[in-house]
Amino acid sequence: MNSLKTSKIKTLLSLAFGLAFSSFSQANALVIDNFSDYQYISDVGGDNSATTEGPLAIVGSDLTGATRTLIAQATGSDFHETAIETDNALSISNTSQSAGNASVIWDFNLTDFTQHGNAIMLQVLAIDIQSGVFVEMIANGSSSSNQIAINGAGNLYVNFSDFDDASVFQGLRQFQLNFKGPVSWDAEFNVLTATTPVPLPPAFALMGLALFGISSFRKYQHN
């Protein structure tokens, strides 16, 4: 009888853990860029023109034939600088009087993003102001997410359905990020992926159930 009860408890624990951790897993998440391929650009204000660097063939991506182009445009007069750097993170910085614009463009072989999720996720590692910085995402050069506020560190999710035309994600060749903010804004970003947002509350509830089961099982074993 004891062995039968033990077997049932183990089965329940296994199911609880399986459900909990499957909730955390991302269904075939597609890495657009992990920013491990080094690239740098800076633009000094005063001539109203932007500086472009690339396209650079990158390997830190799950996309085939992926290249990355950086575009920076500083505002203000001479020595008002905007810089973009990728070195295991995407860093954007502005000098004290520049409210620069920064763009990152990826071109790649035709890819169905809907096979990997229903949203774009951009990880915000750090930002030095709490409001006023925005990112616009553009798919295939035409379908826009419109401007999205970046208010702090964390994972920023943008659903495909939030774009002007979500159908473009079934056959994507280009993706673009446009950043803009006030004077002297700086920020750092990490992995950019196509994924499905994790339903955190149900996942944590299931993990709690699993942990409760372990505690009960241990008490049962000692009785």
Side-chain angles (χ1 to χ4, degrees), residues 12-220:
L12 289 172
L13 290 177
S14 177
L15 177 61
F17 269 117
L19 289 172
F21 286 107
S22 65
S23 297
F24 283 103
S25 64
Q26 304 295 303
N28 302 315
L30 177 75
V31 176
I32 300 171
D33 200 345
N34 64 11
F35 302 111
S36 60
D37 300 281
Y38 182 78
Q39 201 172 9
Y40 176 81
I41 186 175
S42 67
D43 181 73
V44 176
D47 58 5
N48 295 317
S49 65
T51 302
T52 301
E53 202 285 322
L56 172 74
I58 60 174
V59 297
S61 172
D62 290 336
L63 298 164
T64 58
T67 64
R68 183 179 64 214
T69 300
L70 305 179
I71 302 173
Q73 183 171 16
T75 60
S77 60
D78 291 344
F79 306 113
H80 293 188
E81 183 180 19
T82 296
I84 311 172
E85 183 176 20
T86 61
D87 187 10
N88 295 311
L90 170 65
S91 301
I92 302 173
S93 61
N94 293 274
T95 53
S96 61
Q97 298 186 51
S98 178
N101 299 321
S103 296
V104 187
I105 303 172
W106 294 267
D107 293 282
F108 40 87
N109 296 342
L110 188 69
T111 306
D112 183 355
F113 275 40
T114 64
Q115 296 297 310
H116 303 274
N118 59 17
I120 299 296
M121 188 276 282
L122 175 64
Q123 186 179 37
V124 184
L125 293 179
I127 188 165
D128 63 350
I129 60 175
Q130 295 303 309
S131 64
V133 176
F134 298 87
V135 60
E136 178 191 19
M137 301 183 180
I138 302 177
N140 273 2
S142 60
S143 184
S144 171
S145 67
N146 299 308
Q147 292 186 1
I148 302 163
I150 304 174
N151 297 319
N155 292 340
L156 176 66
Y157 289 96
V158 182
N159 293 326
F160 296 165
S161 59
D162 293 332
F163 286 74
D164 295 332
D165 179 9
S167 67
V168 300
F169 285 96
Q170 297 175 14
L172 213 59
R173 291 183 180 275
Q174 186 185 83
F175 193 76
Q176 180 171 346
L177 298 178
N178 295 330
F179 297 93
K180 65 181 299 183
V183 169
S184 191
W185 72 273
D186 300 316
E188 192 171 60
F189 307 90
N190 204 347
V191 182
L192 177 70
T193 64
T195 187
T196 300
V198 176
L200 287 179
F204 280 118
L206 285 168
M207 286 191 70
L209 175 62
L211 292 172
F212 175 77
I214 289 176
S215 175
S216 299
F217 180 54
R218 286 177 176 172
K219 288 179 181 177
Y220 171 81

